[in-house]
Structure formats: structure tokens, C-alpha cells
Amino acid sequence: MNPRVKQILSIDPFTVKALWSDDKVRVTDFGSFLSEYFQKKKSLYYKILQENTFKQAKADGRTIYWEDIAEMIDYNGKKISAPLNFCPDVLFEQSVLVD
């Protein structure tokens, strides 16, 4: 199993520098691996590729996520806000180790 995101250290336009559970620092360039979504306004990824929204990224000890980006149906059939998160293995594969 790959390490998990322990803590966000810094957020720049479309990149996140994070401390991982193996105590190594890695940078993930979301602008690069999500580049095809910059023009797809109906995509959830488009929402996080807006600079002000991107800066609101959070870590939960496992992955990186953005609150209230997605919607889901609750048990009563009502639409509610939900976070948009990424599989930590995908983030690990897309990240670069910082020296």
C-alpha cells in the first residue's frame, strides 16, 4: 500500500505540497494531470481548477479533498453537498518527491 497524505504544507495555483505518512514531502500538480478539465465547465474537476476554490484544499490524514464540490443523494432521496476527494494512490502516482 502506498503512503497516505498526512498534512498539506502549502498550496499554490494547482499544486499541493504535502507531508505523506512515510514522512516524505511530495508535490502534486493537479493542473497538469487534470489539464483537460480547465475548459469543461460542467465537470467537478473544473470547479477545483478555479484558483480561489483550489486554495481551499484540505487533508484528512488519508487524502486531499475539497468540501461541498460534489452532490449526492442521501438516504431520504434528498440532494446534499459532498466533498470531492481523490484516491490517495492516484495522488501518490501523480506526485513528485521533493528533495
Side-chain angles (χ1 to χ4, degrees):
M1 179 168 82
N2 289 324
R4 301 304 188 220
V5 178
K6 196 172 182 180
Q7 174 186 5
I8 292 175
L9 301 175
S10 66
I11 301 172
D12 292 314
F14 315 121
T15 62
V16 174
K17 183 190 286 187
L19 176 64
W20 288 70
S21 60
D22 61 359
D23 290 323
K24 294 182 180 174
V25 175
R26 302 182 73 84
V27 173
T28 306
D29 184 350
F30 288 85
S32 182
F33 89 89
L34 296 177
S35 63
E36 66 185 273
Y37 295 98
F38 274 105
Q39 303 303 319
K40 296 182 179 179
K41 293 184 179 183
K42 293 185 180 183
S43 169
L44 292 176
Y45 300 130
Y46 176 85
K47 291 179 182 181
I48 66 166
L49 292 172
Q50 306 309 301
E51 196 168 334
N52 288 334
T53 302
F54 190 83
K55 291 178 183 178
Q56 296 173 22
K58 296 181 180 181
D60 62 4
R62 188 175 89 66
T63 191
I64 296 171
Y65 71 97
W66 286 262
E67 291 182 346
D68 302 327
I69 296 295
E71 288 184 339
M72 61 183 262
I73 306 296
D74 73 4
Y75 294 111
N76 297 320
K78 181 181 173 187
K79 275 188 183 181
I80 59 172
S81 294
L84 174 63
N85 62 18
F86 286 83
C87 171
D89 292 328
V90 171
L91 293 180
F92 183 81
E93 293 297 322
Q94 294 293 327
S95 66
V96 176
L97 187 62
V98 175
D99 294 328

Tab-separated table of all heavy atoms in Angstrom, residues 38-96:
chain	number	residue	atom	x	y	z
A	38	PHE	N	-9.789	22.089	-17.634
A	38	PHE	CA	-9.799	23.544	-17.500
A	38	PHE	C	-10.921	24.193	-18.320
A	38	PHE	O	-11.391	25.264	-17.985
A	38	PHE	CB	-8.453	24.145	-17.910
A	38	PHE	CG	-7.439	24.173	-16.800
A	38	PHE	CD1	-6.382	23.276	-16.781
A	38	PHE	CD2	-7.530	25.094	-15.768
A	38	PHE	CE1	-5.437	23.301	-15.765
A	38	PHE	CE2	-6.597	25.123	-14.739
A	38	PHE	CZ	-5.550	24.225	-14.740
A	39	GLN	N	-11.344	23.563	-19.396
A	39	GLN	CA	-12.377	24.129	-20.266
A	39	GLN	C	-13.727	23.420	-20.132
A	39	GLN	O	-14.683	23.800	-20.792
A	39	GLN	CB	-11.916	24.068	-21.736
A	39	GLN	CG	-10.606	24.771	-21.996
A	39	GLN	CD	-10.615	26.232	-21.587
A	39	GLN	OE1	-11.598	26.936	-21.817
A	39	GLN	NE2	-9.549	26.684	-20.961
A	40	LYS	N	-13.824	22.402	-19.309
A	40	LYS	CA	-15.064	21.619	-19.182
A	40	LYS	C	-15.863	22.117	-17.979
A	40	LYS	O	-15.807	21.543	-16.888
A	40	LYS	CB	-14.741	20.137	-19.070
A	40	LYS	CG	-14.087	19.605	-20.333
A	40	LYS	CD	-13.811	18.132	-20.249
A	40	LYS	CE	-13.173	17.657	-21.545
A	40	LYS	NZ	-12.865	16.240	-21.524
A	41	LYS	N	-16.632	23.174	-18.201
A	41	LYS	CA	-17.325	23.864	-17.111
A	41	LYS	C	-18.322	23.006	-16.343
A	41	LYS	O	-18.645	23.319	-15.212
A	41	LYS	CB	-18.012	25.111	-17.653
A	41	LYS	CG	-17.028	26.153	-18.121
A	41	LYS	CD	-17.697	27.413	-18.573
A	41	LYS	CE	-16.634	28.412	-19.012
A	41	LYS	NZ	-17.205	29.690	-19.391
A	42	LYS	N	-18.806	21.937	-16.927
A	42	LYS	CA	-19.777	21.088	-16.233
A	42	LYS	C	-19.111	20.006	-15.385
A	42	LYS	O	-19.781	19.276	-14.662
A	42	LYS	CB	-20.730	20.453	-17.241
A	42	LYS	CG	-21.623	21.479	-17.903
A	42	LYS	CD	-22.630	20.837	-18.811
A	42	LYS	CE	-23.498	21.926	-19.440
A	42	LYS	NZ	-24.546	21.349	-20.270
A	43	SER	N	-17.803	19.918	-15.439
A	43	SER	CA	-17.075	18.902	-14.696
A	43	SER	C	-16.832	19.329	-13.243
A	43	SER	O	-16.609	20.505	-12.954
A	43	SER	CB	-15.727	18.654	-15.377
A	43	SER	OG	-14.896	17.877	-14.554
A	44	LEU	N	-16.842	18.363	-12.350
A	44	LEU	CA	-16.484	18.648	-10.957
A	44	LEU	C	-15.041	19.111	-10.862
A	44	LEU	O	-14.697	19.950	-10.032
A	44	LEU	CB	-16.683	17.401	-10.091
A	44	LEU	CG	-18.108	16.938	-9.881
A	44	LEU	CD1	-18.118	15.641	-9.083
A	44	LEU	CD2	-18.928	17.993	-9.184
A	45	TYR	N	-14.183	18.561	-11.712
A	45	TYR	CA	-12.777	18.944	-11.686
A	45	TYR	C	-12.601	20.406	-12.101
A	45	TYR	O	-11.712	21.084	-11.596
A	45	TYR	CB	-11.940	18.036	-12.577
A	45	TYR	CG	-11.995	16.593	-12.158
A	45	TYR	CD1	-12.262	15.598	-13.074
A	45	TYR	CD2	-11.787	16.218	-10.836
A	45	TYR	CE1	-12.309	14.261	-12.691
A	45	TYR	CE2	-11.840	14.893	-10.442
A	45	TYR	CZ	-12.100	13.921	-11.380
A	45	TYR	OH	-12.147	12.610	-10.996
A	46	TYR	N	-13.438	20.880	-12.997
A	46	TYR	CA	-13.384	22.294	-13.393
A	46	TYR	C	-13.569	23.180	-12.159
A	46	TYR	O	-12.895	24.200	-12.014
A	46	TYR	CB	-14.461	22.595	-14.442
A	46	TYR	CG	-14.531	24.058	-14.820
A	46	TYR	CD1	-13.693	24.571	-15.796
A	46	TYR	CD2	-15.428	24.919	-14.200
A	46	TYR	CE1	-13.740	25.909	-16.147
A	46	TYR	CE2	-15.476	26.257	-14.548
A	46	TYR	CZ	-14.638	26.750	-15.517
A	46	TYR	OH	-14.686	28.072	-15.861
A	47	LYS	N	-14.461	22.777	-11.286
A	47	LYS	CA	-14.736	23.575	-10.079
A	47	LYS	C	-13.477	23.760	-9.226
A	47	LYS	O	-13.222	24.850	-8.721
A	47	LYS	CB	-15.838	22.932	-9.247
A	47	LYS	CG	-17.194	22.981	-9.904
A	47	LYS	CD	-18.231	22.309	-9.029
A	47	LYS	CE	-19.589	22.303	-9.670
A	47	LYS	NZ	-20.602	21.675	-8.810
A	48	ILE	N	-12.689	22.703	-9.053
A	48	ILE	CA	-11.493	22.849	-8.211
A	48	ILE	C	-10.339	23.501	-8.963
A	48	ILE	O	-9.368	23.924	-8.348
A	48	ILE	CB	-11.041	21.524	-7.572
A	48	ILE	CG1	-10.569	20.527	-8.617
A	48	ILE	CG2	-12.126	20.973	-6.673
A	48	ILE	CD1	-9.815	19.347	-8.049
A	49	LEU	N	-10.455	23.594	-10.284
A	49	LEU	CA	-9.416	24.257	-11.074
A	49	LEU	C	-9.654	25.761	-11.183
A	49	LEU	O	-9.077	26.424	-12.035
A	49	LEU	CB	-9.290	23.603	-12.453
A	49	LEU	CG	-8.748	22.174	-12.414
A	49	LEU	CD1	-8.840	21.525	-13.789
A	49	LEU	CD2	-7.318	22.149	-11.899
A	50	GLN	N	-10.487	26.278	-10.309
A	50	GLN	CA	-10.648	27.720	-10.154
A	50	GLN	C	-9.765	28.104	-8.961
A	50	GLN	O	-9.854	27.488	-7.896
A	50	GLN	CB	-12.113	28.087	-9.915
A	50	GLN	CG	-13.054	27.549	-10.982
A	50	GLN	CD	-12.596	27.874	-12.388
A	50	GLN	OE1	-12.435	29.031	-12.743
A	50	GLN	NE2	-12.345	26.843	-13.193
A	51	GLU	N	-8.918	29.091	-9.151
A	51	GLU	CA	-7.869	29.371	-8.169
A	51	GLU	C	-8.384	29.542	-6.741
A	51	GLU	O	-7.819	28.981	-5.803
A	51	GLU	CB	-7.071	30.601	-8.604
A	51	GLU	CG	-5.764	30.726	-7.871
A	51	GLU	CD	-4.838	31.767	-8.476
A	51	GLU	OE1	-4.944	32.052	-9.679
A	51	GLU	OE2	-4.006	32.276	-7.712
A	52	ASN	N	-9.452	30.302	-6.550
A	52	ASN	CA	-9.964	30.525	-5.186
A	52	ASN	C	-10.482	29.231	-4.559
A	52	ASN	O	-10.308	29.009	-3.363
A	52	ASN	CB	-11.056	31.592	-5.183
A	52	ASN	CG	-10.496	32.972	-5.424
A	52	ASN	OD1	-9.336	33.238	-5.133
A	52	ASN	ND2	-11.304	33.854	-5.972
A	53	THR	N	-11.113	28.404	-5.348
A	53	THR	CA	-11.610	27.128	-4.841
A	53	THR	C	-10.448	26.183	-4.567
A	53	THR	O	-10.423	25.492	-3.533
A	53	THR	CB	-12.588	26.488	-5.844
A	53	THR	OG1	-13.662	27.398	-6.083
A	53	THR	CG2	-13.142	25.179	-5.331
A	54	PHE	N	-9.479	26.145	-5.472
A	54	PHE	CA	-8.345	25.236	-5.307
A	54	PHE	C	-7.632	25.475	-3.977
A	54	PHE	O	-7.234	24.524	-3.300
A	54	PHE	CB	-7.363	25.373	-6.475
A	54	PHE	CG	-6.324	24.309	-6.458
A	54	PHE	CD1	-6.587	23.057	-6.990
A	54	PHE	CD2	-5.089	24.532	-5.872
A	54	PHE	CE1	-5.636	22.045	-6.942
A	54	PHE	CE2	-4.128	23.535	-5.819
A	54	PHE	CZ	-4.399	22.286	-6.362
A	55	LYS	N	-7.501	26.722	-3.587
A	55	LYS	CA	-6.794	27.072	-2.358
A	55	LYS	C	-7.489	26.545	-1.102
A	55	LYS	O	-6.925	26.592	-0.018
A	55	LYS	CB	-6.650	28.586	-2.251
A	55	LYS	CG	-5.703	29.168	-3.270
A	55	LYS	CD	-5.650	30.675	-3.135
A	55	LYS	CE	-4.767	31.291	-4.199
A	55	LYS	NZ	-4.741	32.756	-4.108
A	56	GLN	N	-8.705	26.045	-1.242
A	56	GLN	CA	-9.464	25.542	-0.092
A	56	GLN	C	-9.258	24.042	0.135
A	56	GLN	O	-9.973	23.417	0.916
A	56	GLN	CB	-10.944	25.859	-0.287
A	56	GLN	CG	-11.216	27.344	-0.319
A	56	GLN	CD	-12.650	27.666	-0.687
A	56	GLN	OE1	-13.540	26.843	-0.540
A	56	GLN	NE2	-12.873	28.865	-1.166
A	57	ALA	N	-8.266	23.470	-0.525
A	57	ALA	CA	-7.968	22.037	-0.363
A	57	ALA	C	-7.659	21.725	1.096
A	57	ALA	O	-7.085	22.538	1.821
A	57	ALA	CB	-6.782	21.655	-1.246
A	58	LYS	N	-8.056	20.519	1.506
A	58	LYS	CA	-7.813	20.057	2.869
A	58	LYS	C	-7.288	18.626	2.825
A	58	LYS	O	-7.472	17.921	1.831
A	58	LYS	CB	-9.113	20.100	3.676
A	58	LYS	CG	-9.654	21.500	3.841
A	58	LYS	CD	-10.917	21.496	4.651
A	58	LYS	CE	-11.415	22.939	4.797
A	58	LYS	NZ	-12.614	23.015	5.594
A	59	ALA	N	-6.656	18.222	3.907
A	59	ALA	CA	-6.208	16.834	4.054
A	59	ALA	C	-6.893	16.245	5.276
A	59	ALA	O	-7.156	16.955	6.247
A	59	ALA	CB	-4.701	16.776	4.214
A	60	ASP	N	-7.152	14.954	5.220
A	60	ASP	CA	-7.835	14.292	6.329
A	60	ASP	C	-7.026	13.137	6.932
A	60	ASP	O	-7.560	12.284	7.617
A	60	ASP	CB	-9.205	13.787	5.888
A	60	ASP	CG	-9.140	12.757	4.778
A	60	ASP	OD1	-8.026	12.357	4.383
A	60	ASP	OD2	-10.217	12.357	4.284
A	61	GLY	N	-5.715	13.121	6.637
A	61	GLY	CA	-4.875	12.033	7.120
A	61	GLY	C	-4.812	10.861	6.151
A	61	GLY	O	-4.094	9.899	6.366
A	62	ARG	N	-5.568	10.976	5.070
A	62	ARG	CA	-5.603	9.917	4.068
A	62	ARG	C	-5.432	10.469	2.660
A	62	ARG	O	-4.675	9.964	1.870
A	62	ARG	CB	-6.939	9.168	4.173
A	62	ARG	CG	-7.038	7.943	3.331
A	62	ARG	CD	-8.317	7.175	3.565
A	62	ARG	NE	-9.444	7.555	2.754
A	62	ARG	CZ	-9.524	7.412	1.434
A	62	ARG	NH1	-8.527	6.944	0.764
A	62	ARG	NH2	-10.609	7.751	0.783
A	63	THR	N	-6.165	11.542	2.366
A	63	THR	CA	-6.168	12.094	1.015
A	63	THR	C	-6.354	13.605	1.041
A	63	THR	O	-6.433	14.218	2.103
A	63	THR	CB	-7.272	11.424	0.161
A	63	THR	OG1	-7.079	11.788	-1.212
A	63	THR	CG2	-8.663	11.802	0.601
A	64	ILE	N	-6.457	14.195	-0.143
A	64	ILE	CA	-6.741	15.621	-0.316
A	64	ILE	C	-8.171	15.735	-0.818
A	64	ILE	O	-8.597	14.958	-1.676
A	64	ILE	CB	-5.756	16.258	-1.315
A	64	ILE	CG1	-4.336	16.194	-0.745
A	64	ILE	CG2	-6.153	17.697	-1.640
A	64	ILE	CD1	-3.247	16.589	-1.724
A	65	TYR	N	-8.901	16.708	-0.269
A	65	TYR	CA	-10.293	16.868	-0.668
A	65	TYR	C	-10.716	18.333	-0.638
A	65	TYR	O	-10.034	19.185	-0.065
A	65	TYR	CB	-11.213	16.035	0.228
A	65	TYR	CG	-11.342	16.574	1.635
A	65	TYR	CD1	-12.418	17.378	2.001
A	65	TYR	CD2	-10.389	16.284	2.604
A	65	TYR	CE1	-12.529	17.876	3.294
A	65	TYR	CE2	-10.495	16.767	3.891
A	65	TYR	CZ	-11.576	17.566	4.229
A	65	TYR	OH	-11.685	18.068	5.499
A	66	TRP	N	-11.845	18.600	-1.275
A	66	TRP	CA	-12.479	19.920	-1.274
A	66	TRP	C	-13.909	19.722	-0.811
A	66	TRP	O	-14.644	18.881	-1.341
A	66	TRP	CB	-12.475	20.527	-2.678
A	66	TRP	CG	-11.140	21.003	-3.112
A	66	TRP	CD1	-10.675	22.287	-3.072
A	66	TRP	CD2	-10.068	20.219	-3.659
A	66	TRP	NE1	-9.390	22.340	-3.546
A	66	TRP	CE2	-8.990	21.080	-3.916
A	66	TRP	CE3	-9.910	18.866	-3.958
A	66	TRP	CZ2	-7.788	20.648	-4.457
A	66	TRP	CZ3	-8.716	18.422	-4.485
A	66	TRP	CH2	-7.676	19.313	-4.734
A	67	GLU	N	-14.333	20.505	0.180
A	67	GLU	CA	-15.689	20.390	0.715
A	67	GLU	C	-16.720	20.978	-0.245
A	67	GLU	O	-16.439	21.942	-0.962
A	67	GLU	CB	-15.789	21.126	2.054
A	67	GLU	CG	-15.012	20.458	3.161
A	67	GLU	CD	-15.152	21.181	4.487
A	67	GLU	OE1	-15.619	22.338	4.513
A	67	GLU	OE2	-14.782	20.572	5.501
A	68	ASP	N	-17.904	20.400	-0.229
A	68	ASP	CA	-19.086	20.938	-0.922
A	68	ASP	C	-18.893	21.166	-2.417
A	68	ASP	O	-19.445	22.107	-2.984
A	68	ASP	CB	-19.553	22.233	-0.250
A	68	ASP	CG	-19.890	22.030	1.215
A	68	ASP	OD1	-20.358	20.941	1.572
A	68	ASP	OD2	-19.658	22.956	2.011
A	69	ILE	N	-18.135	20.317	-3.080
A	69	ILE	CA	-17.934	20.424	-4.528
A	69	ILE	C	-18.901	19.498	-5.264
A	69	ILE	O	-19.437	19.837	-6.301
A	69	ILE	CB	-16.482	20.087	-4.909
A	69	ILE	CG1	-15.517	21.098	-4.303
A	69	ILE	CG2	-16.309	19.991	-6.417
A	69	ILE	CD1	-15.658	22.511	-4.833
A	70	ALA	N	-19.110	18.332	-4.715
A	70	ALA	CA	-19.975	17.337	-5.347
A	70	ALA	C	-21.351	17.333	-4.681
A	70	ALA	O	-21.577	18.018	-3.679
A	70	ALA	CB	-19.332	15.965	-5.241
A	71	GLU	N	-22.255	16.565	-5.252
A	71	GLU	CA	-23.565	16.343	-4.657
A	71	GLU	C	-23.818	14.850	-4.614
A	71	GLU	O	-23.324	14.100	-5.445
A	71	GLU	CB	-24.670	17.001	-5.491
A	71	GLU	CG	-24.696	18.496	-5.412
A	71	GLU	CD	-25.864	19.094	-6.186
A	71	GLU	OE1	-26.412	18.409	-7.090
A	71	GLU	OE2	-26.222	20.224	-5.888
A	72	MET	N	-24.594	14.450	-3.629
A	72	MET	CA	-25.000	13.056	-3.545
A	72	MET	C	-26.434	12.995	-3.045
A	72	MET	O	-26.973	13.986	-2.546
A	72	MET	CB	-24.060	12.267	-2.636
A	72	MET	CG	-23.996	12.752	-1.205
A	72	MET	SD	-22.809	11.857	-0.212
A	72	MET	CE	-23.866	10.692	0.600
A	73	ILE	N	-27.035	11.850	-3.186
A	73	ILE	CA	-28.402	11.640	-2.708
A	73	ILE	C	-28.321	10.938	-1.354
A	73	ILE	O	-27.687	9.882	-1.236
A	73	ILE	CB	-29.206	10.772	-3.700
A	73	ILE	CG1	-29.162	11.368	-5.118
A	73	ILE	CG2	-30.634	10.579	-3.215
A	73	ILE	CD1	-29.810	12.719	-5.265
A	74	ASP	N	-28.962	11.526	-0.330
A	74	ASP	CA	-28.933	10.902	0.991
A	74	ASP	C	-29.970	9.778	1.070
A	74	ASP	O	-30.668	9.476	0.094
A	74	ASP	CB	-29.092	11.941	2.104
A	74	ASP	CG	-30.499	12.513	2.227
A	74	ASP	OD1	-31.414	12.075	1.496
A	74	ASP	OD2	-30.690	13.409	3.065
A	75	TYR	N	-30.085	9.171	2.232
A	75	TYR	CA	-30.988	8.032	2.409
A	75	TYR	C	-32.451	8.393	2.185
A	75	TYR	O	-33.265	7.528	1.896
A	75	TYR	CB	-30.820	7.431	3.812
A	75	TYR	CG	-29.470	6.813	4.019
A	75	TYR	CD1	-28.543	7.390	4.882
A	75	TYR	CD2	-29.112	5.654	3.343
A	75	TYR	CE1	-27.292	6.817	5.065
A	75	TYR	CE2	-27.865	5.072	3.516
A	75	TYR	CZ	-26.971	5.658	4.384
A	75	TYR	OH	-25.732	5.097	4.555
A	76	ASN	N	-32.788	9.669	2.330
A	76	ASN	CA	-34.162	10.127	2.128
A	76	ASN	C	-34.425	10.582	0.700
A	76	ASN	O	-35.493	11.099	0.406
A	76	ASN	CB	-34.486	11.265	3.101
A	76	ASN	CG	-34.411	10.815	4.542
A	76	ASN	OD1	-34.834	9.715	4.872
A	76	ASN	ND2	-33.850	11.648	5.403
A	77	GLY	N	-33.430	10.439	-0.171
A	77	GLY	CA	-33.595	10.846	-1.560
A	77	GLY	C	-33.334	12.326	-1.800
A	77	GLY	O	-33.578	12.828	-2.889
A	78	LYS	N	-32.815	13.025	-0.802
A	78	LYS	CA	-32.545	14.461	-0.913
A	78	LYS	C	-31.106	14.688	-1.382
A	78	LYS	O	-30.181	14.015	-0.932
A	78	LYS	CB	-32.744	15.101	0.458
A	78	LYS	CG	-32.528	16.583	0.490
A	78	LYS	CD	-32.724	17.132	1.899
A	78	LYS	CE	-32.331	18.591	1.936
A	78	LYS	NZ	-32.349	19.126	3.298
A	79	LYS	N	-30.926	15.657	-2.305
A	79	LYS	CA	-29.576	16.025	-2.737
A	79	LYS	C	-28.877	16.802	-1.632
A	79	LYS	O	-29.449	17.733	-1.065
A	79	LYS	CB	-29.620	16.917	-3.978
A	79	LYS	CG	-29.712	16.186	-5.261
A	79	LYS	CD	-29.541	17.146	-6.429
A	79	LYS	CE	-29.712	16.418	-7.731
A	79	LYS	NZ	-29.531	17.306	-8.885
A	80	ILE	N	-27.649	16.391	-1.335
A	80	ILE	CA	-26.857	17.103	-0.331
A	80	ILE	C	-25.445	17.325	-0.870
A	80	ILE	O	-24.993	16.616	-1.759
A	80	ILE	CB	-26.797	16.333	1.014
A	80	ILE	CG1	-26.186	14.933	0.816
A	80	ILE	CG2	-28.167	16.248	1.659
A	80	ILE	CD1	-25.913	14.189	2.103
A	81	SER	N	-24.777	18.326	-0.321
A	81	SER	CA	-23.396	18.604	-0.710
A	81	SER	C	-22.476	17.512	-0.189
A	81	SER	O	-22.699	16.954	0.879
A	81	SER	CB	-22.944	19.954	-0.142
A	81	SER	OG	-23.675	20.990	-0.726
A	82	ALA	N	-21.429	17.252	-0.981
A	82	ALA	CA	-20.457	16.227	-0.601
A	82	ALA	C	-19.066	16.698	-1.016
A	82	ALA	O	-18.927	17.539	-1.911
A	82	ALA	CB	-20.801	14.902	-1.282
A	83	PRO	N	-18.046	16.172	-0.380
A	83	PRO	CA	-16.683	16.550	-0.764
A	83	PRO	C	-16.265	15.876	-2.067
A	83	PRO	O	-16.810	14.836	-2.444
A	83	PRO	CB	-15.835	16.047	0.395
A	83	PRO	CG	-16.603	14.910	0.960
A	83	PRO	CD	-18.058	15.259	0.762
A	84	LEU	N	-15.310	16.483	-2.726
A	84	LEU	CA	-14.646	15.861	-3.873
A	84	LEU	C	-13.265	15.470	-3.384
A	84	LEU	O	-12.495	16.325	-2.940
A	84	LEU	CB	-14.533	16.841	-5.043
A	84	LEU	CG	-13.716	16.337	-6.235
A	84	LEU	CD1	-14.365	15.115	-6.870
A	84	LEU	CD2	-13.538	17.430	-7.258
A	85	ASN	N	-12.976	14.173	-3.406
A	85	ASN	CA	-11.658	13.721	-2.973
A	85	ASN	C	-11.051	12.832	-4.048
A	85	ASN	O	-11.712	12.451	-5.001
A	85	ASN	CB	-11.724	13.018	-1.618
A	85	ASN	CG	-12.584	11.779	-1.644
A	85	ASN	OD1	-12.893	11.212	-2.681
A	85	ASN	ND2	-13.002	11.351	-0.469
A	86	PHE	N	-9.792	12.537	-3.866
A	86	PHE	CA	-9.045	11.723	-4.819
A	86	PHE	C	-8.523	10.489	-4.118
A	86	PHE	O	-8.145	10.537	-2.944
A	86	PHE	CB	-7.861	12.516	-5.385
A	86	PHE	CG	-8.271	13.567	-6.361
A	86	PHE	CD1	-8.705	14.804	-5.920
A	86	PHE	CD2	-8.253	13.316	-7.719
A	86	PHE	CE1	-9.103	15.771	-6.812
A	86	PHE	CE2	-8.648	14.280	-8.630
A	86	PHE	CZ	-9.077	15.521	-8.177
A	87	CYS	N	-8.471	9.404	-4.844
A	87	CYS	CA	-7.861	8.192	-4.324
A	87	CYS	C	-6.412	8.523	-3.961
A	87	CYS	O	-5.667	9.076	-4.784
A	87	CYS	CB	-7.911	7.096	-5.388
A	87	CYS	SG	-6.948	5.644	-4.948
A	88	PRO	N	-5.986	8.225	-2.738
A	88	PRO	CA	-4.617	8.555	-2.346
A	88	PRO	C	-3.561	7.845	-3.201
A	88	PRO	O	-2.470	8.370	-3.394
A	88	PRO	CB	-4.532	8.149	-0.885
A	88	PRO	CG	-5.720	7.321	-0.617
A	88	PRO	CD	-6.748	7.629	-1.647
A	89	ASP	N	-3.889	6.690	-3.741
A	89	ASP	CA	-2.941	6.000	-4.613
A	89	ASP	C	-2.728	6.778	-5.909
A	89	ASP	O	-1.614	6.849	-6.428
A	89	ASP	CB	-3.412	4.580	-4.925
A	89	ASP	CG	-3.369	3.673	-3.708
A	89	ASP	OD1	-2.485	3.877	-2.841
A	89	ASP	OD2	-4.216	2.774	-3.611
A	90	VAL	N	-3.802	7.369	-6.425
A	90	VAL	CA	-3.687	8.211	-7.631
A	90	VAL	C	-2.834	9.429	-7.318
A	90	VAL	O	-1.938	9.788	-8.095
A	90	VAL	CB	-5.074	8.626	-8.155
A	90	VAL	CG1	-4.960	9.675	-9.251
A	90	VAL	CG2	-5.847	7.412	-8.652
A	91	LEU	N	-3.079	10.065	-6.183
A	91	LEU	CA	-2.283	11.240	-5.803
A	91	LEU	C	-0.807	10.864	-5.664
A	91	LEU	O	0.072	11.611	-6.100
A	91	LEU	CB	-2.790	11.842	-4.495
A	91	LEU	CG	-4.175	12.462	-4.532
A	91	LEU	CD1	-4.543	13.011	-3.156
A	91	LEU	CD2	-4.263	13.546	-5.588
A	92	PHE	N	-0.543	9.726	-5.057
A	92	PHE	CA	0.844	9.280	-4.892
A	92	PHE	C	1.501	9.099	-6.255
A	92	PHE	O	2.625	9.557	-6.488
A	92	PHE	CB	0.907	7.989	-4.079
A	92	PHE	CG	2.301	7.530	-3.812
A	92	PHE	CD1	3.037	8.090	-2.779
A	92	PHE	CD2	2.898	6.555	-4.600
A	92	PHE	CE1	4.344	7.678	-2.531
A	92	PHE	CE2	4.193	6.139	-4.363
A	92	PHE	CZ	4.916	6.708	-3.319
A	93	GLU	N	0.810	8.435	-7.166
A	93	GLU	CA	1.355	8.189	-8.507
A	93	GLU	C	1.559	9.482	-9.288
A	93	GLU	O	2.474	9.580	-10.108
A	93	GLU	CB	0.437	7.245	-9.291
A	93	GLU	CG	0.376	5.842	-8.733
A	93	GLU	CD	1.710	5.122	-8.773
A	93	GLU	OE1	2.465	5.283	-9.736
A	93	GLU	OE2	1.999	4.380	-7.794
A	94	GLN	N	0.726	10.484	-9.046
A	94	GLN	CA	0.813	11.753	-9.755
A	94	GLN	C	1.766	12.742	-9.098
A	94	GLN	O	2.053	13.799	-9.652
A	94	GLN	CB	-0.576	12.405	-9.870
A	94	GLN	CG	-1.547	11.641	-10.725
A	94	GLN	CD	-1.150	11.623	-12.175
A	94	GLN	OE1	-0.558	12.571	-12.694
A	94	GLN	NE2	-1.462	10.545	-12.872
A	95	SER	N	2.266	12.413	-7.927
A	95	SER	CA	3.127	13.342	-7.185
A	95	SER	C	4.600	13.111	-7.464
A	95	SER	O	5.013	12.084	-7.986
A	95	SER	CB	2.849	13.229	-5.687
A	95	SER	OG	3.243	11.964	-5.213
A	96	VAL	N	5.381	14.115	-7.077
A	96	VAL	CA	6.831	14.078	-7.244
A	96	VAL	C	7.470	14.304	-5.885
A	96	VAL	O	7.074	15.215	-5.145
A	96	VAL	CB	7.292	15.178	-8.235
A	96	VAL	CG1	8.802	15.227	-8.360
A	96	VAL	CG2	6.642	14.982	-9.600
